[in-house]
Amino acid sequence: METSYNMDVDDLFGDSEHVSIPTINATLPVKGLDGRLDELGSSGCCQKITWSKNGCVACISSDGYTVNLKVFSRANETGKWHLGKDVPLELPQGRDVFPLVHVSWSHLGNDLAVIDEAGRVMVFSCHTALNRMQFVRAEITHPESEVDSVVGMHWLAILPYDHKNQIAWSAAREQDRWKWTIRPHLFKDAHHPVEGKTSFIYLKKYGELKLRFQQHDNSWQEASTHVGPMISTREPFTHAAFASNNDNTLLLVAYDVMRRLHLYRIETLWNADKRSQGPFEKPTIQVSLMALEDDCNPVDMGDDDLRNGTAAKGAAAAQLTHLNFLPTTPEQDDGSIPTVQAMFCRPPNPIPYDMNPQEARHSVIVKWGVHQQQQNQLHPSLDQVTSKKKSVNSVPVQTTFVLKRQPDFALHAVVLAFHPVWYSMLLVFCYSDGTIEFRKRSTMEIIMPDGNTDTVLSLMQAGFVFQHTEPSLHLAFSPNHCMAVCLQLDGTTKLRSMEYQHGTLSTDDDDPRHSAALAALTLQSSSAANQYFSSDDIFAITGPLTAKRRHDFTTLLFEGHQVNIDCGIDESCQNHFVLLGRAPIFVKTLSAMHILGQTGPVHRSLSSKMAWQILNVKYVTQILTTVMRAHGDINKQQIIPDMIPRFIGIVRWTMHYMAYILDDLFALGRNLSSTSTPLTRAVLEENLRESNRPALLLLLSAFPRSMLKLWSQPLNWVKRSTEAFAASTNSASTSAGGAHPPSQSPELRKVYMPLHAAVHCLPFEWRYFDVLVGEIQSLVRAIYAREKYTEAQRNACERDLLLGRIPDVLFPVAKRLVTDSLWNSTTTSSSTPTSVCLADKIDTGKLLFFDTTWLGFQESERAKIWNHQHVVDVCQKNVIRGLGVQGHPVASPRQLGEGGMGSNSLRQCVRCGECMEDVVQGLPGYSPNHVSWLIGVTKHCICGNGWMVVEGGRKKTG
């Protein structure tokens, strides 16, 4: 028997054939992967970390009972960007405690939804600072059920921010310049009908659909309905996703435990009256079932020929982990339609059923396109009925929805996080092996650096990539998806940044790929600006730049943001008023200029100083003109006493700034006169760079000069308003018994006198400064007109000035400013004061020793020490920490803190690092009206970026 049994042992064990040993992935499986997949499979709402569009990260703690906020900010001393310390949300007391499972920011990042395991939804709203959010109670229809969890939620669009958009599509090189393709687009997404108000919608496990919305007064209410009959406990939903139908309605897709997809259309009938500020009735929600899909499993992709595309024998074990609904994209050429995207995690092939080698666990994408068809619901045979009065064709057609399945798409590993970005035209996949992939939605092609230096479409194509690193269970992207924050099982977080693959941008080599990289950064910055996103993450990945690179980048930013800074050649041009008012793109561009050249709290490059001072001048001018116009006819109306506390620091700052500008100008003139070198444009520019003094450039620049011209009227008004009280005080002190006039109480004089002191603090007559600014205005406009410069040419000149260069056409004016205007008198006649040089008008010795250090524009060692020991409120323009604290007339020394050090917390800008008093209602020294006004005008730092609360009363420098 043994001899008859002839067995080939080599063949039995396969040794007769070559054995292909698969390459072992060096990346170890992420700890907690199985548990995370169970979470993803059981609910569509289990996002543990999220990054808001305005720069704040919210994450659920490892124990599931706390939400921590982390602000993304820049350290002043080092210039490094980082996530700050955890600031826990104050959860409402007296509620039943369940583990928290989902966090989600609104579109603008002002509101945060927190969902617990029992399906309770809590809303928190930002209050003056990114890391201070308050719980907002909502008037709900009825108490939430403890067994009805949330399986999907969606924030509705906010008007007007999400309605109209300028989409930055691409940048193309034309010789040595870049041309930008930026086109407007109108979105028709479902939205709250009242401008600026927020709303969101969510589906619960057993089919209840709820809409949370804000009233006119920002209070929250709720409306609800069911998506059909109450679902039995045997077939609840596990996942749901929403998408715009591009007609102001919503589409909803829901996945149940029977592995079926339900497609619904949601129409919301709002009862809001945009003209009325009173409460409106709750909206009505109408839900219609449009389609049902039974076979939602991935097909067997390795044996299609044998199975004819049917579900594999082992496919029942495939687990749905992500359900997304991708809306129509703005790009009409890609033929996009609303698309349901389901991601399943497939286990290794079950060996008993498959002849193929066992494969690793991975994800498979299953997609359905949502097609709309117009069809008549009546059959044509009904025309044969003689008793009918109308033909079938006369019956209105109806829109039907059809789910058409697309080919499945296998991925190389398990997807742990997925994010559609850039108007859902790009898809980001985060895998269990640590890989982050960007794919085009239309083709699913991976976007990689392609070396194209003539056309730029995205950061990834231009050379910025996420390096492969250790995987994370939870991951969220920054507003511009160029940074990621990773959350591990133990609750620790780590930042991942895109890295530039073509060398470094910190050199001046002429590699055209570097120019393309700067164009890509500009393109993304323009996209962020037009979507009201923070762009801090863009500057975080840029890294240090040389002076030339900063110059090139800033030029691209002005062009890519399409900022017009020309202010014309006569009074008919009103562009300076446009830039003064609501001009967020202008502010964002100046803010970028500032941060690119800021190397410390008081150290800035010349162009950075220019930008920072223009931002300050713009803000101060807004306050001066706004307060003045609020009084009506200023010839008949004095400053209202209640307005004065908010005005004192602003007026003091304007006066000191005039002194700073003139002192800067005299210092520059002395430097130039001390050398025998002929004064040429090159010599003047070199002196500006070496001295780092921007005064001359600011006076030549149209916008800041126009702002300085606007100061004259409000300052004269302040002077007139306060001199009456000063005169009454002087006369009262010499009267018998020192009695005061009955119409002017001591309390009023106490309020008015600090403002009087502020407007009279200069060692020279401030109107000489106003005359100088007027002369420069006339000279610059005249030379532009004489040379027949177009708007585009003037724009180029103005950009050169901001970047520290003097255009040839303006050099004669610049030369006159630092020579004749300072030293050379044309006449001694007092009847023509405009012809007398500045040195004859003012005491230059007093000006030299007039201390303007507190303005923060000087870079001396003394200025550095002073800045370290003091804090100046960047909005109120008062010293609020250190010796010489400047309080309001209604504040007492005790209210300011012992030893001149304030005890209240500060708000600090997340980008530039400047601070302001953390003013809230009830703060000593501030009236309720003053607080309300400040909250309105200081929603952002003057550089346009958000605040974070810094406890302990001192600014954070590192």
Side-chain angles (χ1 to χ4, degrees):
M1 184 174 179
E2 291 180 1
T3 57
S4 63
Y5 183 68
N6 185 8
M7 182 175 65
D8 189 338
V9 179
D10 288 342
D11 186 61
L12 173 65
F13 290 99
D15 291 343
S16 61
E17 297 180 2
H18 174 70
V19 178
S20 178
I21 302 177
T23 302
I24 299 176
N25 196 326
T27 304
L28 296 175
V30 58
K31 186 177 180 181
L33 177 60
D34 291 337
R36 179 55 180 161
L37 289 176
D38 287 342
E39 289 178 340
L40 290 169
S42 61
S43 174
C45 275
C46 58
Q47 180 174 261
K48 300 296 178 64
I49 188 166
T50 179
W51 197 326
S52 73
K53 295 301 185 290
N54 58 11
C56 186
V57 171
C59 58
I60 298 174
S61 61
S62 57
D63 64 5
Y65 291 97
T66 305
V67 174
N68 293 313
L69 302 178
K70 295 172 176 284
V71 177
F72 185 63
S73 61
R74 181 178 179 272
N76 255 9
E77 297 292 342
T78 64
K80 301 293 185 182
W81 293 86
H82 62 281
L83 283 175
K85 66 177 183 179
D86 289 344
V87 177
L89 277 182
E90 293 186 10
L91 300 177
Q93 301 296 316
R95 66 183 185 91
D96 293 333
V97 178
F98 291 90
L100 306 173
V101 295
H102 187 80
V103 285
S104 177
W105 291 103
S106 63
H107 292 300
L108 298 181
N110 297 328
D111 300 284
L112 176 70
V114 179
I115 302 175
D116 67 17
E117 197 175 57
R120 291 178 169 84
V121 181
M122 297 172 283
V123 179
F124 297 82
S125 291
C126 183
H127 182 67
T128 66
L130 298 180
N131 57 347
R132 178 165 57 203
M133 303 197 74
Q134 295 180 345
F135 172 68
V136 182
R137 297 192 179 276
E139 178 188 322
I140 59 177
T141 52
H142 54 77
E144 305 276 8
S145 169
E146 294 184 4
V147 293
D148 198 3
S149 59
V150 177
V151 296
M153 72 165 293
H154 173 81
W155 292 91
L156 273 64
I158 303 175
L159 295 181
Y161 310 102
D162 297 323
H163 186 53
K164 295 180 181 179
N165 228 292
Q166 295 284 335
I167 300 180
W169 290 99
S170 63
R173 189 194 299 271
E174 292 186 354
Q175 296 179 346
D176 60 342
R177 302 196 60 176
W178 288 91
K179 182 179 180 181
W180 311 90
T181 301
I182 301 176
R183 296 193 301 266
H185 184 80
L186 183 66
F187 291 87
K188 299 178 182 179
D189 297 342
H191 57 271
H192 194 305
V194 180
E195 286 196 358
K197 302 307 177 185
T198 309
S199 55
F200 62 91
I201 193 168
Y202 59 98
L203 181 68
K204 306 199 74 174
K205 185 177 181 180
Y206 294 110
E208 188 177 17
L209 186 67
K210 294 196 172 189
L211 174 69
R212 279 286 172 93
F213 60 94
Q214 282 184 309
Q215 282 279 0
H216 284 290
D217 62 357
N218 292 330
S219 63
W220 285 83
Q221 290 185 342
E222 183 179 276
S224 66
T225 188
H226 271 83
V227 292
M230 183 67 72
I231 302 171
S232 70
T233 57
R234 292 190 301 275
E235 43 188 50
F237 294 126
T238 61
H239 297 74
F242 299 82
S244 166
N245 195 37
N246 203 33
D247 62 355
N248 298 323
T249 66
L250 272 178
L251 295 177
L252 162 65
V253 62
Y255 181 84
D256 65 23
V257 294
M258 302 299 291
R259 307 175 71 83
R260 297 177 300 186
L261 278 179
H262 305 249
L263 177 65
Y264 299 95
R265 185 180 186 184
I266 303 171
E267 296 182 80
T268 304
L269 304 179
W270 294 88
N271 300 302
D273 185 353
K274 300 179 183 179
R275 296 167 297 182
S276 172
Q277 292 301 309
F280 53 86
E281 294 183 7
K282 292 182 179 181
T284 302
I285 308 171
Q286 296 180 351
V287 182
S288 305
L289 177 64
M290 309 306 297
L292 183 64
E293 181 75 16
D294 289 320
D295 184 13
C296 299
N297 297 323
V299 300
D300 179 20
M301 311 190 76
D303 203 9
D304 283 342
D305 293 337
L306 296 177
R307 305 190 188 279
N308 296 320
T310 59
K313 293 180 180 179
Q319 184 180 35
L320 179 69
T321 57
H322 298 82
L323 182 64
N324 303 98
F325 212 154
L326 306 177
T328 303
T329 69
E331 179 54 75
Q332 301 302 318
D333 295 338
D334 67 0
S336 70
I337 57 175
T339 303
V340 177
Q341 177 176 278
M343 275 181 274
F344 292 84
C345 175
R346 288 193 60 176
N349 283 346
I351 296 177
Y353 301 118
D354 243 309
M355 298 173 62
N356 294 332
Q358 183 173 3
E359 58 186 11
R361 186 161 47 182
H362 65 281
S363 290
V364 176
I365 299 177
V366 183
K367 291 185 179 181
W368 292 265
V370 179
H371 296 261
Q372 298 187 40
Q373 300 176 350
Q374 301 290 327
Q375 68 179 43
N376 197 309
Q377 301 298 306
L378 300 179
H379 196 276
S381 62
L382 289 177
D383 280 332
Q384 307 298 322
V385 179
T386 57
S387 61
K388 68 176 181 61
K389 297 181 179 180
K390 294 183 179 180
S391 67
V392 171
N393 291 334
S394 66
V395 178
V397 297
Q398 294 185 1
T399 301
T400 61
F401 289 74
V402 179
L403 288 171
K404 294 185 179 180
R405 184 159 176 166
Q406 301 172 5
D408 291 3
F409 193 91
L411 301 168
H412 76 276
V414 177
V415 175
L416 288 178
F418 168 80
H419 298 272
V421 298
W422 197 48
Y423 309 100
S424 296
M425 291 186 285
L426 301 181
L427 310 179
V428 191
F429 298 88
C430 309
Y431 296 98
S432 55
D433 63 357
T435 307
I436 295 178
E437 280 182 353
F438 287 79
R439 293 177 180 265
K440 294 181 182 178
R441 172 180 165 183
S442 57
T443 64
M444 290 301 289
E445 172 190 357
I446 298 176
I447 304 174
M448 297 289 289
D450 60 8
N452 187 342
T453 60
D454 293 325
T455 302
V456 170
L457 301 172
S458 66
L459 290 173
M460 297 72 69
Q461 175 251 342
F464 293 89
V465 300
F466 283 103
Q467 297 287 5
H468 188 278
T469 187
E470 61 180 347
S472 301
L473 288 177
H474 311 271
L475 188 145
F477 284 97
S478 62
N480 295 282
H481 50 266
C482 56
M483 301 192 76
V485 58
C486 307
L487 176 65
Q488 296 290 29
L489 193 63
D490 60 358
T492 59
T493 58
K494 181 180 180 181
L495 280 176
R496 289 180 65 178
S497 301
M498 276 188 170
E499 298 177 17
Y500 183 53
Q501 299 300 292
H502 301 316
T504 176
L505 296 174
S506 60
T507 62
D508 286 339
D509 55 325
D510 293 329
D511 190 333
R513 294 178 298 182
H514 299 340
S515 177
L518 292 180
L521 291 165
T522 302
L523 193 69
Q524 189 60 52
S525 175
S526 179
S527 183
N530 287 314
Q531 295 181 82
Y532 306 92
F533 292 177
S534 166
S535 57
D536 287 344
D537 52 336
I538 297 174
F539 296 100
I541 70 166
T542 302
L545 301 176
T546 63
K548 178 182 181 301
R549 291 270 185 255
R550 289 199 303 269
H551 177 277
D552 293 345
F553 193 12
T554 304
T555 301
L556 290 175
L557 287 169
F558 269 98
E559 294 174 349
H561 290 178
Q562 300 181 330
V563 180
N564 177 17
I565 53 176
D566 169 55
C567 295
I569 57 174
D570 53 42
E571 300 303 321
S572 64
C573 180
Q574 300 293 301
N575 193 45
H576 60 291
F577 286 118
V578 175
L579 295 173
L580 174 63
R582 290 186 57 83
I585 304 296
F586 180 46
V587 171
K588 289 175 184 292
T589 309
L590 291 175
S591 180
M593 277 185 67
H594 173 224
I595 203 66
L596 287 172
Q598 185 182 23
T599 56
V602 296
H603 292 282
R604 299 177 177 91
S605 67
L606 186 60
S607 60
S608 177
K609 270 191 175 183
M610 282 285 290
W612 180 235
Q613 292 189 31
I614 292 172
L615 285 168
N616 276 271
V617 168
K618 178 182 184 297
Y619 171 79
V620 165
T621 309
Q622 282 178 313
I623 302 300
L624 284 172
T625 55
T626 300
V627 172
M628 180 186 69
R629 290 168 182 167
H631 285 73
D633 187 353
I634 60 174
N635 294 318
K636 301 178 181 178
Q637 179 71 49
Q638 290 183 337
I639 301 174
I640 301 172
D642 188 51
M643 291 277 195
I644 290 178
R646 66 193 73 171
F647 219 35
I648 296 172
I650 298 293
V651 170
R652 185 189 296 119
W653 190 93
T654 61
M655 292 296 174
H656 282 238
Y657 186 70
M658 293 180 196
Y660 163 79
I661 289 292
L662 291 187
D663 184 47
D664 231 18
L665 204 59
F666 272 106
L668 179 61
R670 285 190 291 267
N671 287 344
L672 293 170
S673 62
S674 64
T675 178
S676 59
T677 305
L679 182 56
T680 63
R681 188 175 67 85
V683 169
L684 184 53
E685 284 185 354
E686 182 64 24
N687 197 287
L688 288 173
R689 284 191 292 271
E690 290 180 355
S691 64
N692 207 21
R693 295 179 181 273
L696 175 63
L697 298 168
L698 279 155
L699 291 171
L700 292 173
S701 300
F703 175 73
R705 189 178 63 248
S706 298
M707 296 300 99
L708 298 177
K709 280 294 295 176
L710 292 176
W711 288 4
S712 176
Q713 190 178 16
L715 290 179
N716 274 316
W717 174 58
V718 170
K719 189 171 182 291
R720 290 197 310 269
S721 296
T722 59
E723 282 178 346
F725 288 89
S728 67
T729 301
N730 293 334
S731 61
S733 63
T734 58
S735 62
H740 299 300
S743 61
Q744 297 181 357
S745 66
E747 289 76 14
L748 276 181
R749 279 189 291 275
K750 181 182 177 182
V751 171
Y752 275 88
M753 286 312 295
L755 186 58
H756 178 267
V759 82
H760 289 84
C761 65
L762 286 182
F764 59 87
E765 173 55 58
W766 69 267
R767 281 172 291 195
Y768 289 138
F769 179 86
D770 184 54
V771 170
L772 175 67
V773 172
E775 287 181 351
I776 300 169
Q777 181 96 313
S778 299
L779 290 170
V780 171
R781 286 181 169 181
I783 204 167
Y784 275 152
R786 186 176 70 243
E787 298 298 327
K788 298 181 179 179
Y789 264 42
T790 64
E791 180 181 315
Q793 289 174 309
R794 295 194 300 268
N795 238 316
C797 290
E798 297 299 329
R799 284 202 299 268
D800 281 345
L801 289 167
L802 293 182
L803 294 169
R805 298 190 303 196
I806 299 176
D808 287 333
V809 69
L810 295 182
F811 176 66
V813 181
K815 183 178 180 179
R816 175 172 173 170
L817 266 175
V818 295
T819 54
D820 293 349
S821 296
L822 295 181
W823 320 113
N824 297 331
S825 300
T826 57
T827 178
T828 58
S829 173
S830 60
S831 62
T832 56
T834 58
S835 62
V836 180
C837 67
L838 276 174
D840 291 341
K841 297 177 184 177
I842 65 177
D843 188 331
T844 56
K846 288 183 178 180
L847 177 63
L848 180 65
F849 290 101
F850 188 77
D851 191 4
T852 59
T853 305
W854 74 281
L855 296 178
F857 302 144
Q858 300 172 17
E859 296 176 303
S860 64
E861 192 62 29
R862 176 179 177 273
K864 185 176 181 180
I865 295 172
W866 193 95
N867 180 78
H868 181 71
Q869 295 174 342
H870 298 75
V871 177
V872 176
D873 190 313
V874 71
C875 293
Q876 299 189 78
K877 303 302 183 188
N878 287 328
V879 178
I880 54 175
R881 299 292 186 274
L883 297 177
V885 168
Q886 299 162 330
H888 301 301
V890 294
S892 67
R894 182 177 297 276
Q895 291 168 336
L896 295 175
E898 299 298 330
M901 295 298 296
S903 58
N904 302 312
S905 58
L906 297 174
R907 294 183 215 158
Q908 185 168 11
C909 177
V910 300
R911 176 181 286 191
C912 72
E914 294 295 322
C915 294
M916 72 166 289
E917 195 80 57
D918 185 27
V919 180
V920 294
Q921 289 291 354
L923 186 68
Y926 292 87
S927 69
N929 287 341
H930 191 180
V931 173
S932 298
W933 179 81
L934 270 177
I935 290 175
V937 299
T938 62
K939 292 180 179 178
H940 301 93
C941 175
I942 66 170
C943 73
N945 289 270
W947 301 107
M948 59 181 179
V949 175
V950 182
E951 301 295 343
R954 289 188 177 275
K955 61 183 176 182
K956 185 177 179 182
T957 58

